[in-house]
Amino acid sequence: MPNSFQSSSVSRPVGVVLIALAAVLTLSACNGGRARPRLAYEERPVELLYNTGYERLQRQRWADAVDYFQEVERQHPYSEWSRRAILMQIYAYYQNGSYEESIAAADRFIQLFPGSPSAAYAFYMRATCHFEQIVDVGRDQNQAEQALAGLRDVARRYPNSSYATDAVVKIDMVNDQLAGKEMNIGRYYQRANQPLAAIGRYKAVIDNEAFQRTSHTPEALYRLVEVYLTLGLKDEAERNGAVLGFNYPGSPWYAEAYALLTEDGRPPETAPTGERESWLRRIIPG
């Protein structure tokens, strides 16, 4: 399948892929705009079934399209038409918001045709369906974790494809989501006066290399300053404040940390040289 997806946004323009897919096939023309009868099981020419399904796609009648593509698969299971019909089902289910069905169709394609060039599309759409089901940080992040695993799989298997390019962008978005979940839990523990549990969550954001590049890192450092001061661990508070100031000097979180530490008589002017270097090596290689 052509790698025509270029946008870093959610994959609604995947229709371009389908147009190219249909163009590869030399199909007999459908009968204009005549109304189609309701699908009933009877043996029909594969060209007619496929073209009718494609016509339904163009009219955005997603469920009807799925019926015809499934019929192609049932009546001609070992043909090239069947292979393409499964790809069309992935897309039609996706456009209909039937993510679980789209994932199932993608899994079926991958199982049946793992070596096909179009497997890249199936892997990508499976990951995208999980990605689009990600919920807010206050809820279970199972979909985010599955999306992350799927997107990494796409980037690893097809590194030179446009699918991989988009997957890398989405990976950063998922990491930001997962880091946000850690922060949400950390704040909960901090409010509940469980400082050690809160420290563990904030450190998870700081120590995870994928999370270090997210928007949550400055706040995580600031929260550590808060918690360590609460515990009376002023040296630890100053150290995290210095790292925050060195890496995010213009951040409002550093301004807050500076105010806290100044009140405490320990302004975070500089981080120890070794601390600065090790932190920067993790965040900015080289």
Side-chain angles (χ1 to χ4, degrees):
M1 177 170 293
N3 293 327
S4 60
F5 188 93
Q6 298 296 333
S7 171
S8 63
S9 63
V10 172
S11 165
R12 291 297 174 193
V14 179
V16 177
V17 176
L18 292 173
I19 293 171
L21 218 178
V24 174
L25 301 174
T26 306
L27 302 176
S28 58
C30 293
N31 289 330
R34 288 194 306 164
R36 301 288 179 181
R38 294 292 298 173
L39 187 62
Y41 184 84
E42 65 177 88
E43 191 169 345
R44 307 177 188 200
V46 66
E47 294 92 341
L48 176 61
L49 288 170
Y50 188 95
N51 270 304
T52 304
Y54 186 71
E55 180 260 346
R56 296 295 191 267
L57 278 184
Q58 291 179 312
R59 293 166 60 184
Q60 299 185 11
R61 293 173 57 177
W62 314 118
D64 288 346
V66 167
D67 287 342
Y68 280 96
F69 292 131
Q70 285 181 340
E71 198 64 20
V72 170
E73 193 181 355
R74 279 194 295 266
Q75 294 191 23
H76 307 273
Y78 304 110
S79 68
E80 175 70 8
W81 297 92
S82 176
R83 183 179 70 83
R84 296 181 184 278
I86 300 174
L87 293 172
M88 292 298 192
Q89 289 174 58
I90 295 171
Y91 176 72
Y93 277 131
Y94 167 76
Q95 287 287 11
N96 199 41
S98 302
Y99 294 121
E100 294 308 314
E101 290 82 356
S102 184
I103 290 168
D107 285 339
R108 189 164 72 256
F109 186 92
I110 291 167
Q111 183 179 12
L112 293 172
F113 310 105
S116 168
S118 297
Y121 176 78
F123 276 105
Y124 174 76
M125 289 300 292
R126 183 173 67 179
T128 297
C129 286
H130 286 300
F131 179 84
E132 293 199 9
Q133 294 181 85
I134 293 175
V135 295
D136 63 81
V137 295
R139 300 173 64 185
D140 178 70
Q141 296 301 303
N142 179 59
Q143 292 291 350
E145 291 165 359
Q146 291 192 65
L148 184 61
L151 292 165
R152 284 174 172 169
D153 203 21
V154 171
R156 177 179 60 83
R157 290 173 181 271
Y158 310 101
N160 300 317
S161 70
S162 57
Y163 299 122
T165 301
D166 188 67
V168 169
V169 174
K170 285 186 169 71
I171 285 169
D172 286 341
M173 296 170 69
V174 177
N175 281 327
D176 198 81
Q177 172 83 6
L178 293 173
K181 178 67 174 181
E182 293 292 331
M183 292 299 299
N184 200 43
I185 297 172
R187 294 187 209 100
Y188 168 80
Y189 283 133
Q190 190 174 354
R191 290 192 299 268
N193 197 29
Q194 298 183 50
L196 296 181
I199 287 171
R201 296 296 180 166
Y202 298 145
K203 277 184 165 291
V205 175
I206 294 170
D207 294 339
N208 186 316
E209 291 187 13
F211 292 170
Q212 287 171 3
R213 294 186 291 273
T214 71
S215 61
H216 299 283
T217 305
E219 184 188 355
L221 287 163
Y222 167 75
R223 297 297 177 191
L224 284 174
V225 171
E226 277 190 326
V227 176
Y228 281 131
L229 285 177
T230 300
L231 293 173
L233 300 174
K234 297 181 180 180
D235 288 341
E236 286 297 311
E238 182 183 8
R239 184 177 68 84
N240 283 277
V243 173
L244 173 57
F246 187 84
N247 290 282
Y248 307 97
S251 168
W253 294 112
Y254 174 61
E256 293 287 335
Y258 188 90
L260 280 179
L261 289 165
T262 301
E263 286 177 9
D264 199 63
R266 304 288 290 270
E269 295 183 6
T270 59
T273 301
E275 194 69 38
R276 289 202 307 263
E277 290 179 352
S278 62
W279 176 260
L280 284 176
R281 275 202 195 94
R282 289 202 303 270
I283 290 189
I284 309 172

